[in-house]
Amino acid sequence: MTDADDQGRADEQDYPEELGFGFGEILALLSVHGGEAAAGTAELLGLEDYTGLPEVLASGASSLVARGYAHVGSSAGLSVDGPIAGIAAALGGAERRMDLRLEAPGFSDRILLLEAPGIAILLRPRAYSTWWALPQRTDVGPAEATLLLVQGHLAEHPEGRVLVERHEVGQGYALSVRNADDGGWLLGVRVPGAEDSRESPGDAETLLTALRAVRND
């Protein structure tokens, strides 16, 4: 499964804005692109133990074909185009992988941001190691898009917290963001093994600067 159609080729099928993928389908898309980032992405998704299993790749490829998300190319390899090719490119070619942990009393969630040249996607976990995938916003910058995700969670869960970490680069150290009583933010750096972090108050510009730092922009 090494063939991939040109990502820019016109897509003849209508796709929903948000697409759900099983873990076998994700692994098949990683195999299609075959980029240097594929191993790191598989690790971030918790799928590294399955990347070398032909039966899992074959099952994922068959599922993609059955759903109309892929077809068999001229050299008998799996071929994708349109939005699916973009997702494959982001999975296999991500130059930045951000892991956002959303916390609140009685609630937890996770958002992964994968940014590759010309394409960026957002992944959210479903059940049984499956994922929702959708494009990131293109009308704002990447750091500003991350800021909107943080603000959205803390607006919905005022007592919550977001931990923002870049995968592999500085892994283990996360920016902690909580609401402050004055309408601003409480920012801290959470180090490996620590339950809490020393927090300092900051405004929206301070938060954006901190996000750019943890993103290594």
Side-chain angles (χ1 to χ4, degrees):
M1 293 183 291
T2 58
D3 291 348
D5 289 348
D6 183 354
Q7 181 179 337
R9 196 173 77 179
D11 181 39
E12 298 178 355
Q13 180 173 352
D14 292 329
Y15 293 96
E17 180 178 329
E18 185 175 62
L19 297 170
F21 294 97
F23 74 92
E25 294 174 327
I26 293 286
L27 290 170
L29 291 175
L30 283 168
S31 179
V32 165
H33 188 273
E36 294 181 358
T41 299
E43 178 190 357
L44 179 60
L45 297 176
L47 302 177
E48 67 271 26
D49 292 339
Y50 302 94
T51 56
L53 299 179
E55 60 271 26
V56 175
L57 293 175
S59 175
S62 297
S63 179
L64 289 171
V65 172
R67 298 174 69 190
Y69 289 170
H71 56 277
V72 178
S74 57
S75 61
L78 193 68
S79 184
V80 295
D81 53 32
I84 308 302
I87 291 171
L91 289 167
E95 295 180 345
R96 179 182 284 104
R97 292 184 290 264
M98 301 301 302
D99 190 348
L100 279 65
R101 307 249 177 194
L102 314 179
E103 301 176 351
F107 173 89
S108 65
D109 201 357
R110 189 180 184 197
I111 296 176
L112 304 181
L113 307 177
L114 305 183
E115 300 173 10
I119 183 72
I121 65 171
L122 181 155
L123 296 173
R124 299 192 77 148
R126 306 163 73 198
Y128 304 109
S129 298
T130 61
W131 295 84
W132 291 110
L134 68 157
Q136 289 192 57
R137 291 181 57 170
T138 58
D139 58 334
V140 295
E144 287 78 7
T146 306
L147 173 64
L148 291 175
L149 291 171
V150 172
Q151 290 176 323
H153 172 69
L154 294 178
E156 186 175 354
H157 301 277
E159 301 301 317
R161 174 170 62 177
V162 182
L163 296 172
V164 185
E165 179 182 353
R166 180 167 176 178
H167 184 240
E168 291 185 341
V169 180
Q171 189 170 348
Y173 292 83
L175 173 67
S176 169
V177 186
R178 296 194 303 126
N179 285 320
D181 293 337
D182 62 0
W185 312 100
L186 293 173
L187 310 177
V189 176
R190 188 173 184 181
V191 300
E195 291 295 328
D196 296 302
S197 58
R198 294 187 61 181
E199 295 176 317
S200 301
D203 56 15
E205 188 60 35
T206 304
L207 173 54
L208 184 58
T209 299
L211 288 171
R212 286 178 173 145
V214 76
R215 285 171 46 84
N216 300 107
D217 283 349

